[in-house]
Amino acid sequence: QPVLTQPPSVSGAPGQRVTISCTGSSSNIGAGYDVHWYQQLPGTAPKRLIYGNTNRPSGVPDRFSGSKSGTSASLAITGLQAEDEADYYCQSYDNSLSGVMFGGGTKLTVL
Amino acid sequence: QVHLEQSGAEVKKPGASVKVSCKASGYTFTSYDITWVRQALGQGLEWMGWISASKGNTNYAQKLQGRVTLTTDTSTSTAYMELRSLRSDDTAVYYCARGGYMYGYEIWGQGTLVTVSS
């Protein structure tokens, strides 16, 4: 089981807002390690969407935003578009495992 | 532009070894760490380990300790991932990526499919 827990799936209609949660523990997110988010379109390599909890790389639309609180983090997508349909992964560091961890991934369906 | 080019698909028998390469271009190779991530078909991302391209320091996932070795060749700006004693559950797409756990992985290779089958 992944150390970081994400919902397997979320869905929303075009134009709506969805959030994807990433729940960790005191040895990863709660220990102060940053959370990063990736988007993976079918058949392609992951793309960094958010880094350092809240920062968007250049070229990523401001419809995507990240937040972190306590032992959890969230990715919010507003103004949902068909092209947002993809798998999303959170990632952080875990000091009890001394390694990087990914969440199990969340499949976003745009209805 | 910044690019990571990986070697082609491999088919291996159980018990064999595989070595995947990742050639960097468009930046100073020794200025960034290289991380390896794998993804079994239809499954999530699994971090395998990272290597400092400048110092050669490594950190491996506990699950793969003893079976995986990461190396770099700074003369050709190429990183390598070798996985030994292959099993069927090692069948996956293997990615190299530039970056570390502090800022995430900003550049990814295109992926290399490794199939382990008798």
Side-chain angles (χ1 to χ4, degrees), chain B residues 28-74:
Chain B
T28 302
F29 181 66
T30 52
S31 294
Y32 295 87
D33 297 340
I34 293 287
T35 288
W36 289 84
V37 174
R38 70 179 181 178
Q39 185 173 36
L41 194 63
Q43 303 300 309
L45 303 173
E46 179 184 12
W47 178 79
M48 299 179 68
W50 65 264
I51 182 166
S52 164
S54 61
K55 301 178 181 177
N57 299 343
T58 55
N59 183 24
Y60 300 124
Q62 292 179 0
K63 173 183 176 182
L64 296 172
Q65 283 273 4
R67 285 209 300 138
V68 65
T69 301
L70 303 183
T71 56
T72 59
D73 181 345
T74 56

Short mmCIF file of all heavy atoms in Angstrom, two decimals, chain B residues 28-74:
data_model
loop_
_atom_site.label_atom_id
_atom_site.label_comp_id
_atom_site.label_asym_id
_atom_site.label_seq_id
_atom_site.Cartn_x
_atom_site.Cartn_y
_atom_site.Cartn_z
N THR B 28 23.83 21.38 -18.08
CA THR B 28 25.04 20.83 -17.48
C THR B 28 24.68 19.61 -16.65
O THR B 28 24.04 19.72 -15.59
CB THR B 28 25.73 21.89 -16.59
OG1 THR B 28 26.04 23.04 -17.39
CG2 THR B 28 27.02 21.33 -15.99
N PHE B 29 25.09 18.45 -17.13
CA PHE B 29 24.67 17.17 -16.56
C PHE B 29 24.95 17.07 -15.07
O PHE B 29 24.13 16.58 -14.30
CB PHE B 29 25.38 16.05 -17.32
CG PHE B 29 25.02 14.66 -16.87
CD1 PHE B 29 23.75 14.15 -17.04
CD2 PHE B 29 25.98 13.85 -16.26
CE1 PHE B 29 23.42 12.87 -16.64
CE2 PHE B 29 25.66 12.56 -15.85
CZ PHE B 29 24.38 12.07 -16.04
N THR B 30 26.10 17.56 -14.66
CA THR B 30 26.51 17.39 -13.26
C THR B 30 25.83 18.35 -12.30
O THR B 30 26.06 18.29 -11.09
CB THR B 30 28.04 17.53 -13.13
OG1 THR B 30 28.45 18.76 -13.75
CG2 THR B 30 28.75 16.36 -13.79
N SER B 31 24.98 19.21 -12.81
CA SER B 31 24.30 20.18 -11.94
C SER B 31 23.00 19.66 -11.33
O SER B 31 22.40 20.32 -10.48
CB SER B 31 24.00 21.47 -12.72
OG SER B 31 25.19 22.13 -13.09
N TYR B 32 22.56 18.49 -11.76
CA TYR B 32 21.27 17.97 -11.30
C TYR B 32 21.37 16.48 -10.99
O TYR B 32 22.10 15.74 -11.63
CB TYR B 32 20.19 18.17 -12.37
CG TYR B 32 19.88 19.61 -12.68
CD1 TYR B 32 20.62 20.30 -13.63
CD2 TYR B 32 18.83 20.28 -12.05
CE1 TYR B 32 20.34 21.63 -13.92
CE2 TYR B 32 18.55 21.59 -12.34
CZ TYR B 32 19.30 22.26 -13.27
OH TYR B 32 19.02 23.57 -13.56
N ASP B 33 20.56 16.06 -10.01
CA ASP B 33 20.41 14.64 -9.73
C ASP B 33 19.56 13.98 -10.81
O ASP B 33 18.77 14.63 -11.49
CB ASP B 33 19.70 14.43 -8.37
CG ASP B 33 20.51 14.98 -7.21
OD1 ASP B 33 21.74 15.17 -7.35
OD2 ASP B 33 19.89 15.23 -6.15
N ILE B 34 19.72 12.68 -10.93
CA ILE B 34 18.87 11.86 -11.81
C ILE B 34 18.15 10.83 -10.96
O ILE B 34 18.77 10.15 -10.13
CB ILE B 34 19.69 11.15 -12.89
CG1 ILE B 34 20.28 12.17 -13.89
CG2 ILE B 34 18.81 10.13 -13.64
CD1 ILE B 34 19.29 12.80 -14.85
N THR B 35 16.86 10.73 -11.16
CA THR B 35 16.03 9.78 -10.43
C THR B 35 15.44 8.78 -11.41
O THR B 35 15.20 9.10 -12.57
CB THR B 35 14.90 10.54 -9.69
OG1 THR B 35 15.46 11.24 -8.59
CG2 THR B 35 13.82 9.60 -9.19
N TRP B 36 15.21 7.56 -10.91
CA TRP B 36 14.58 6.53 -11.74
C TRP B 36 13.25 6.13 -11.08
O TRP B 36 13.18 5.92 -9.86
CB TRP B 36 15.49 5.32 -11.89
CG TRP B 36 16.67 5.62 -12.76
CD1 TRP B 36 17.85 6.21 -12.38
CD2 TRP B 36 16.79 5.37 -14.17
NE1 TRP B 36 18.68 6.33 -13.47
CE2 TRP B 36 18.06 5.82 -14.57
CE3 TRP B 36 15.95 4.79 -15.12
CZ2 TRP B 36 18.51 5.72 -15.88
CZ3 TRP B 36 16.40 4.69 -16.43
CH2 TRP B 36 17.66 5.16 -16.81
N VAL B 37 12.24 6.03 -11.92
CA VAL B 37 10.87 5.70 -11.49
C VAL B 37 10.36 4.63 -12.45
O VAL B 37 10.63 4.69 -13.65
CB VAL B 37 9.97 6.96 -11.55
CG1 VAL B 37 8.52 6.61 -11.24
CG2 VAL B 37 10.48 8.03 -10.59
N ARG B 38 9.61 3.68 -11.93
CA ARG B 38 9.03 2.69 -12.83
C ARG B 38 7.53 2.61 -12.64
O ARG B 38 6.98 3.03 -11.61
CB ARG B 38 9.67 1.32 -12.64
CG ARG B 38 9.34 0.62 -11.32
CD ARG B 38 10.02 -0.74 -11.28
NE ARG B 38 9.71 -1.47 -10.05
CZ ARG B 38 10.15 -2.69 -9.79
NH1 ARG B 38 10.91 -3.35 -10.66
NH2 ARG B 38 9.82 -3.29 -8.65
N GLN B 39 6.88 2.08 -13.67
CA GLN B 39 5.42 2.00 -13.66
C GLN B 39 4.99 0.72 -14.36
O GLN B 39 5.13 0.58 -15.58
CB GLN B 39 4.83 3.22 -14.37
CG GLN B 39 3.32 3.30 -14.32
CD GLN B 39 2.80 4.61 -14.88
OE1 GLN B 39 3.35 5.17 -15.83
NE2 GLN B 39 1.73 5.13 -14.28
N ALA B 40 4.47 -0.22 -13.59
CA ALA B 40 3.91 -1.43 -14.18
C ALA B 40 2.65 -1.07 -14.95
O ALA B 40 2.01 -0.05 -14.66
CB ALA B 40 3.61 -2.45 -13.09
N LEU B 41 2.30 -1.90 -15.91
CA LEU B 41 1.16 -1.61 -16.78
C LEU B 41 -0.11 -1.40 -15.97
O LEU B 41 -0.50 -2.26 -15.18
CB LEU B 41 0.97 -2.75 -17.77
CG LEU B 41 0.04 -2.45 -18.95
CD1 LEU B 41 0.63 -1.35 -19.81
CD2 LEU B 41 -0.18 -3.72 -19.78
N GLY B 42 -0.71 -0.23 -16.14
CA GLY B 42 -1.96 0.06 -15.45
C GLY B 42 -1.82 0.37 -13.98
O GLY B 42 -2.83 0.50 -13.27
N GLN B 43 -0.56 0.49 -13.52
CA GLN B 43 -0.33 0.75 -12.10
C GLN B 43 0.26 2.14 -11.88
O GLN B 43 0.44 2.91 -12.82
CB GLN B 43 0.63 -0.32 -11.55
CG GLN B 43 0.15 -1.75 -11.72
CD GLN B 43 -1.16 -2.00 -11.02
OE1 GLN B 43 -1.32 -1.69 -9.84
NE2 GLN B 43 -2.13 -2.53 -11.75
N GLY B 44 0.54 2.44 -10.62
CA GLY B 44 1.06 3.75 -10.27
C GLY B 44 2.56 3.86 -10.42
O GLY B 44 3.24 2.93 -10.88
N LEU B 45 3.08 5.01 -10.02
CA LEU B 45 4.51 5.29 -10.11
C LEU B 45 5.23 4.74 -8.88
O LEU B 45 4.75 4.87 -7.76
CB LEU B 45 4.73 6.80 -10.20
CG LEU B 45 4.04 7.51 -11.35
CD1 LEU B 45 4.21 9.03 -11.22
CD2 LEU B 45 4.59 7.04 -12.69
N GLU B 46 6.39 4.16 -9.13
CA GLU B 46 7.21 3.61 -8.04
C GLU B 46 8.62 4.20 -8.13
O GLU B 46 9.31 4.00 -9.13
CB GLU B 46 7.27 2.09 -8.11
CG GLU B 46 8.13 1.47 -7.02
CD GLU B 46 8.28 -0.04 -7.15
OE1 GLU B 46 7.90 -0.60 -8.19
OE2 GLU B 46 8.79 -0.66 -6.21
N TRP B 47 9.02 4.89 -7.07
CA TRP B 47 10.37 5.46 -7.04
C TRP B 47 11.39 4.35 -6.81
O TRP B 47 11.22 3.52 -5.92
CB TRP B 47 10.45 6.47 -5.90
CG TRP B 47 11.78 7.11 -5.70
CD1 TRP B 47 12.32 8.13 -6.42
CD2 TRP B 47 12.72 6.80 -4.67
NE1 TRP B 47 13.55 8.45 -5.91
CE2 TRP B 47 13.83 7.66 -4.84
CE3 TRP B 47 12.76 5.87 -3.63
CZ2 TRP B 47 14.95 7.62 -4.01
CZ3 TRP B 47 13.86 5.83 -2.79
CH2 TRP B 47 14.95 6.71 -2.99
N MET B 48 12.44 4.36 -7.63
CA MET B 48 13.46 3.32 -7.53
C MET B 48 14.73 3.81 -6.82
O MET B 48 15.40 3.06 -6.13
CB MET B 48 13.85 2.83 -8.92
CG MET B 48 12.70 2.22 -9.70
SD MET B 48 13.22 1.69 -11.32
CE MET B 48 14.31 0.32 -10.90
N GLY B 49 15.07 5.07 -7.05
CA GLY B 49 16.28 5.60 -6.44
C GLY B 49 16.78 6.82 -7.19
O GLY B 49 16.24 7.18 -8.23
N TRP B 50 17.81 7.46 -6.64
CA TRP B 50 18.40 8.61 -7.31
C TRP B 50 19.91 8.56 -7.21
O TRP B 50 20.48 7.86 -6.36
CB TRP B 50 17.89 9.94 -6.74
CG TRP B 50 18.26 10.22 -5.33
CD1 TRP B 50 17.50 10.00 -4.22
CD2 TRP B 50 19.48 10.81 -4.83
NE1 TRP B 50 18.19 10.38 -3.08
CE2 TRP B 50 19.39 10.89 -3.42
CE3 TRP B 50 20.64 11.26 -5.46
CZ2 TRP B 50 20.41 11.41 -2.64
CZ3 TRP B 50 21.68 11.77 -4.67
CH2 TRP B 50 21.55 11.84 -3.28
N ILE B 51 20.55 9.30 -8.10
CA ILE B 51 22.00 9.41 -8.09
C ILE B 51 22.39 10.87 -8.31
O ILE B 51 21.78 11.57 -9.12
CB ILE B 51 22.63 8.50 -9.18
CG1 ILE B 51 24.16 8.59 -9.12
CG2 ILE B 51 22.09 8.82 -10.57
CD1 ILE B 51 24.86 7.50 -9.92
N SER B 52 23.36 11.30 -7.55
CA SER B 52 23.93 12.62 -7.77
C SER B 52 24.84 12.55 -8.98
O SER B 52 25.83 11.80 -8.98
CB SER B 52 24.73 13.07 -6.53
OG SER B 52 25.57 14.16 -6.86
N ALA B 53 24.53 13.31 -10.00
CA ALA B 53 25.33 13.25 -11.22
C ALA B 53 26.72 13.85 -11.01
O ALA B 53 27.64 13.56 -11.77
CB ALA B 53 24.61 13.98 -12.35
N SER B 54 26.87 14.68 -9.98
CA SER B 54 28.17 15.30 -9.75
C SER B 54 29.06 14.44 -8.85
O SER B 54 30.26 14.33 -9.07
CB SER B 54 27.99 16.68 -9.12
OG SER B 54 27.32 16.57 -7.87
N LYS B 55 28.47 13.81 -7.84
CA LYS B 55 29.28 13.08 -6.86
C LYS B 55 29.14 11.57 -6.95
O LYS B 55 29.97 10.84 -6.42
CB LYS B 55 28.91 13.53 -5.44
CG LYS B 55 29.12 15.02 -5.19
CD LYS B 55 28.68 15.40 -3.79
CE LYS B 55 28.86 16.89 -3.55
NZ LYS B 55 28.37 17.30 -2.20
N GLY B 56 28.07 11.11 -7.61
CA GLY B 56 27.85 9.68 -7.70
C GLY B 56 27.18 9.06 -6.49
O GLY B 56 26.99 7.85 -6.44
N ASN B 57 26.82 9.90 -5.50
CA ASN B 57 26.09 9.37 -4.34
C ASN B 57 24.76 8.79 -4.80
O ASN B 57 24.13 9.32 -5.72
CB ASN B 57 25.82 10.49 -3.33
CG ASN B 57 27.08 11.10 -2.79
OD1 ASN B 57 28.16 10.53 -2.91
ND2 ASN B 57 26.96 12.28 -2.20
N THR B 58 24.34 7.74 -4.15
CA THR B 58 23.08 7.09 -4.51
C THR B 58 22.20 6.85 -3.29
O THR B 58 22.67 6.80 -2.16
CB THR B 58 23.33 5.74 -5.20
OG1 THR B 58 24.15 4.92 -4.33
CG2 THR B 58 24.01 5.90 -6.54
N ASN B 59 20.90 6.70 -3.56
CA ASN B 59 19.93 6.31 -2.54
C ASN B 59 18.91 5.43 -3.25
O ASN B 59 18.30 5.86 -4.24
CB ASN B 59 19.25 7.54 -1.93
CG ASN B 59 18.29 7.17 -0.81
OD1 ASN B 59 18.42 6.12 -0.20
ND2 ASN B 59 17.32 8.03 -0.54
N TYR B 60 18.74 4.21 -2.74
CA TYR B 60 17.87 3.25 -3.39
C TYR B 60 16.63 2.96 -2.56
O TYR B 60 16.67 2.98 -1.32
CB TYR B 60 18.61 1.94 -3.64
CG TYR B 60 19.83 2.06 -4.53
CD1 TYR B 60 21.07 1.63 -4.08
CD2 TYR B 60 19.74 2.59 -5.81
CE1 TYR B 60 22.20 1.73 -4.88
CE2 TYR B 60 20.85 2.70 -6.63
CZ TYR B 60 22.08 2.27 -6.16
OH TYR B 60 23.20 2.38 -6.97
N ALA B 61 15.54 2.65 -3.23
CA ALA B 61 14.34 2.20 -2.54
C ALA B 61 14.65 0.90 -1.80
O ALA B 61 15.33 0.02 -2.34
CB ALA B 61 13.21 1.98 -3.54
N GLN B 62 14.16 0.81 -0.59
CA GLN B 62 14.46 -0.37 0.23
C GLN B 62 14.06 -1.66 -0.48
O GLN B 62 14.76 -2.66 -0.40
CB GLN B 62 13.73 -0.25 1.57
CG GLN B 62 14.25 0.85 2.47
CD GLN B 62 13.49 0.96 3.78
OE1 GLN B 62 12.55 0.20 4.06
NE2 GLN B 62 13.89 1.90 4.63
N LYS B 63 12.95 -1.61 -1.18
CA LYS B 63 12.43 -2.80 -1.85
C LYS B 63 13.41 -3.35 -2.89
O LYS B 63 13.43 -4.55 -3.17
CB LYS B 63 11.10 -2.44 -2.52
CG LYS B 63 10.50 -3.50 -3.39
CD LYS B 63 9.22 -3.00 -4.04
CE LYS B 63 8.65 -4.03 -5.00
NZ LYS B 63 7.43 -3.54 -5.67
N LEU B 64 14.22 -2.46 -3.48
CA LEU B 64 15.10 -2.86 -4.57
C LEU B 64 16.57 -2.96 -4.17
O LEU B 64 17.41 -3.32 -5.00
CB LEU B 64 14.97 -1.87 -5.73
CG LEU B 64 13.59 -1.82 -6.39
CD1 LEU B 64 13.52 -0.68 -7.40
CD2 LEU B 64 13.26 -3.14 -7.06
N GLN B 65 16.85 -2.66 -2.90
CA GLN B 65 18.23 -2.72 -2.43
C GLN B 65 18.86 -4.08 -2.76
O GLN B 65 18.26 -5.13 -2.52
CB GLN B 65 18.27 -2.53 -0.91
CG GLN B 65 18.09 -1.11 -0.44
CD GLN B 65 19.38 -0.31 -0.39
OE1 GLN B 65 20.43 -0.81 -0.78
NE2 GLN B 65 19.30 0.92 0.06
N GLY B 66 20.06 -4.02 -3.31
CA GLY B 66 20.77 -5.25 -3.64
C GLY B 66 20.52 -5.73 -5.06
O GLY B 66 21.28 -6.56 -5.58
N ARG B 67 19.47 -5.24 -5.71
CA ARG B 67 19.18 -5.67 -7.08
C ARG B 67 19.38 -4.55 -8.10
O ARG B 67 19.48 -4.80 -9.30
CB ARG B 67 17.74 -6.16 -7.21
CG ARG B 67 17.49 -7.52 -6.62
CD ARG B 67 16.35 -8.23 -7.35
NE ARG B 67 15.09 -7.50 -7.29
CZ ARG B 67 14.26 -7.36 -8.34
NH1 ARG B 67 14.57 -7.88 -9.51
NH2 ARG B 67 13.13 -6.71 -8.19
N VAL B 68 19.39 -3.30 -7.64
CA VAL B 68 19.49 -2.17 -8.55
C VAL B 68 20.78 -1.39 -8.32
O VAL B 68 21.25 -1.28 -7.19
CB VAL B 68 18.27 -1.24 -8.40
CG1 VAL B 68 18.24 -0.58 -7.02
CG2 VAL B 68 18.24 -0.19 -9.50
N THR B 69 21.36 -0.92 -9.42
CA THR B 69 22.55 -0.07 -9.34
C THR B 69 22.38 1.08 -10.31
O THR B 69 22.08 0.87 -11.49
CB THR B 69 23.83 -0.86 -9.70
OG1 THR B 69 23.98 -1.95 -8.80
CG2 THR B 69 25.05 0.05 -9.60
N LEU B 70 22.57 2.29 -9.79
CA LEU B 70 22.52 3.50 -10.62
C LEU B 70 23.94 4.03 -10.79
O LEU B 70 24.70 4.11 -9.82
CB LEU B 70 21.65 4.57 -9.97
CG LEU B 70 20.20 4.18 -9.65
CD1 LEU B 70 19.45 5.37 -9.06
CD2 LEU B 70 19.48 3.66 -10.88
N THR B 71 24.26 4.38 -12.02
CA THR B 71 25.57 4.94 -12.31
C THR B 71 25.43 6.08 -13.31
O THR B 71 24.36 6.27 -13.91
CB THR B 71 26.52 3.88 -12.91
OG1 THR B 71 25.90 3.32 -14.08
CG2 THR B 71 26.81 2.76 -11.92
N THR B 72 26.48 6.84 -13.46
CA THR B 72 26.51 7.89 -14.47
C THR B 72 27.86 7.89 -15.17
O THR B 72 28.86 7.42 -14.61
CB THR B 72 26.29 9.30 -13.87
OG1 THR B 72 27.32 9.56 -12.90
CG2 THR B 72 24.92 9.42 -13.22
N ASP B 73 27.86 8.39 -16.40
CA ASP B 73 29.08 8.62 -17.16
C ASP B 73 29.08 10.10 -17.52
O ASP B 73 28.36 10.50 -18.45
CB ASP B 73 29.10 7.74 -18.40
CG ASP B 73 30.37 7.91 -19.22
OD1 ASP B 73 31.11 8.90 -19.01
OD2 ASP B 73 30.62 7.07 -20.09
N THR B 74 29.84 10.89 -16.78
CA THR B 74 29.79 12.33 -16.99
C THR B 74 30.41 12.72 -18.34
O THR B 74 30.08 13.77 -18.88
CB THR B 74 30.52 13.07 -15.86
OG1 THR B 74 31.86 12.60 -15.76
CG2 THR B 74 29.80 12.86 -14.53
#
